[in-house]
Amino acid sequence: MADKITVMYTEEEINKRIAELGAQISKEYTGKEITMVCILKGAATFACELAKRIVLPVEMEYMRCSSYGNETESSGVVKIDLDLDRSIREKNILVVEDIIDTGRTMKYLLDILRGRGPADVKLCSLLDKPDRRVTEVHIDYTGFVIPDKFIVGYGLDYAQRYRNLPYIGVVEPEV
Ligand code: IMP
Ligand code: MG
């Protein structure tokens, strides 16, 4: 069964926005090194492309967490499935996420990372869906602010599918 997917941002639009973010981050971190913490699996595509646009030393680290909940909404009870394998003490951490929805997952993760003694923790998210926020999360760098739609592509999935789409689209499951 095929789901109907409508393009919201083309690959060209995403590339352009990532180049802008990379330039902004490079400028604001001038003279520093960045430790990127990519939140798997959804942020992998974005994190790689963003890292390529940052003209400073960037270490790439990965974390995976799951949030108990149903298919389209997180519960706030977050479990770390794959943790960082190195200390982040005194590092400038840039957390890279695919989307901030209710904010529950990121609130939990940021609290954990801040407790590990980094020099600094900032957040960069490809997408921000502010209409659904239930807990405040400050996003330092945002790709696109989007309405309350279910998004796939560019790393984001619907039941593990569509992560490989080169664009960002809205999925309307076929009934
Ligand atoms: P939050 O805790 O509600 O902010 O959940 C954020 C996580 O839910 C993201 O990292 C995604 O994995 C997932 N998510 C939220 N909205 C979408 C969406 O529109 N498409 C795909 N995944 C989403
Ligand atoms: Mg995610």
Side-chain angles (χ1 to χ4, degrees):
M1 241 196 319
D3 298 308
K4 186 169 175 285
I5 297 171
T6 310
V7 177
M8 184 180 264
Y9 295 106
T10 64
E11 189 173 14
E12 289 69 29
E13 289 170 319
I14 302 167
N15 285 343
K16 181 167 172 280
R17 186 69 192 115
I18 292 178
E20 289 168 359
L21 288 172
Q24 187 188 350
I25 290 167
S26 301
K27 194 169 157 208
E28 292 182 14
Y29 282 85
T30 301
K32 294 181 182 167
E33 293 189 11
I34 296 172
T35 299
M36 212 183 244
V37 174
C38 166
I39 310 303
L40 297 173
K41 302 170 186 175
T45 307
F46 175 48
C48 292
E49 294 303 315
L50 180 64
K52 285 156 64 179
R53 300 289 161 242
I54 297 176
V55 292
L56 297 168
V58 177
E59 293 180 343
M60 306 276 289
E61 305 293 341
Y62 300 86
M63 268 180 110
R64 185 158 59 84
C65 50
S66 49
S67 165
Y68 297 96
N70 58 38
E71 247 177 31
T72 58
E73 176 150 359
S74 68
S75 62
V77 183
V78 180
K79 180 163 85 63
I80 295 180
D81 298 317
L82 175 74
D83 205 343
L84 299 172
D85 52 13
R86 305 193 318 134
S87 165
I88 57 169
R89 189 157 286 279
E90 303 305 327
K91 302 266 189 190
N92 298 306
I93 301 301
L94 181 63
V95 177
V96 178
E97 178 60 304
D98 52 359
I99 185 166
I100 309 296
D101 186 24
T102 65
R104 287 176 178 133
T105 307
M106 195 43 62
K107 167 93 176 61
Y108 178 90
L109 258 176
L110 290 175
D111 285 347
I112 286 184
L113 292 174
R114 288 201 177 102
R116 294 182 182 180
D120 181 48
V121 178
K122 284 198 162 70
L123 171 61
C124 177
S125 184
L126 176 61
L127 300 170
D128 177 14
K129 212 193 270 184
D131 293 350
R132 301 237 314 162
R133 201 77 91 251
V134 299
T135 172
E136 201 189 315
V137 173
H138 177 72
I139 309 176
D140 298 280
Y141 306 98
T142 304
F144 302 99
V145 179
I146 58 162
D148 184 7
K149 303 269 187 205
F150 198 80
I151 300 303
V152 293
Y154 218 82
L156 290 99
D157 74 304
Y158 173 62
Q160 298 305 322
R161 295 180 68 187
Y162 308 121
R163 292 191 197 277
N164 59 316
L165 295 180
Y167 54 86
I168 290 169
V170 179
V171 67
E172 291 151 46
E174 207 160 80
V175 280

